[in-house]
Amino acid sequence: KRLWGSYRSNVYFGMRPRLPRSLIAGLVWVKHSSGRVPVQIRHMCEHGDGLDRYGWMKHDGVSFGEQEIIDGNVIVKTDFLVNSNPGVSDSWTARISAEPRPGTAATPVSLIFYLYNEGSEELKYSSDTETREVDEVFGNIQQIG
């Protein structure tokens, strides 16, 4: 059994360990539009979102997954890979991208990758002093490290 996986079926993309009250990760994206159309925020799987397609194209249920989400004129792609090292907690990597759907006008999209700790341990972060971009998130969470 792997510790980490895509065990968050209620969101378009999410990762978590098989532990209660632990660290979770996920994706939110926002399509920006001009005019009177409200901003479209995507996070929880909602039938009313009217996506053309979402779901895993490839997923072995254990160690990797590839997903393509078609949201109107935007294609959001998510991939993940879990690396299990004997005697060490699993680690994982995600790749997330958004691109215009071929033959459609480009729409600005913001991708927001988040971490949330359901437990009581504190997470900290460091950021670049010039760009203010987060460089790393660190902490010590029971059963994960």
Side-chain angles (χ1 to χ4, degrees), residues 4 8 15-17 21-27 43 92 113-123 137 141 144:
W4 284 92
R8 298 188 63 213
M15 298 289 289
R16 73 167 299 129
R21 300 196 47 79
S22 189
L23 184 68
I24 61 173
L27 171 68
H43 177 240
W92 57 273
F113 181 80
Y114 65 86
L115 296 172
Y116 175 72
N117 183 16
E118 298 174 309
S120 60
E121 301 90 351
E122 183 179 2
L123 293 177
V137 176
I141 296 177
I144 297 175

Side-chain angles (χ1 to χ4, degrees), residues 65-87:
E66 296 176 11
Q67 178 179 211
E68 185 175 87
I69 303 164
I70 300 178
D71 186 3
N73 58 347
V74 175
I75 300 174
V76 176
K77 294 181 181 180
T78 67
D79 302 326
F80 78 90
L81 178 65
V82 176
N83 180 26
S84 183
N85 298 314

Side-chain angles (χ1 to χ4, degrees), residues 83-99:
N83 180 26
S84 183
N85 298 314
V88 180
S89 181
D90 288 350
S91 62
W92 57 273
T93 302
R95 178 176 47 197
I96 301 167
S97 65
E99 59 189 37

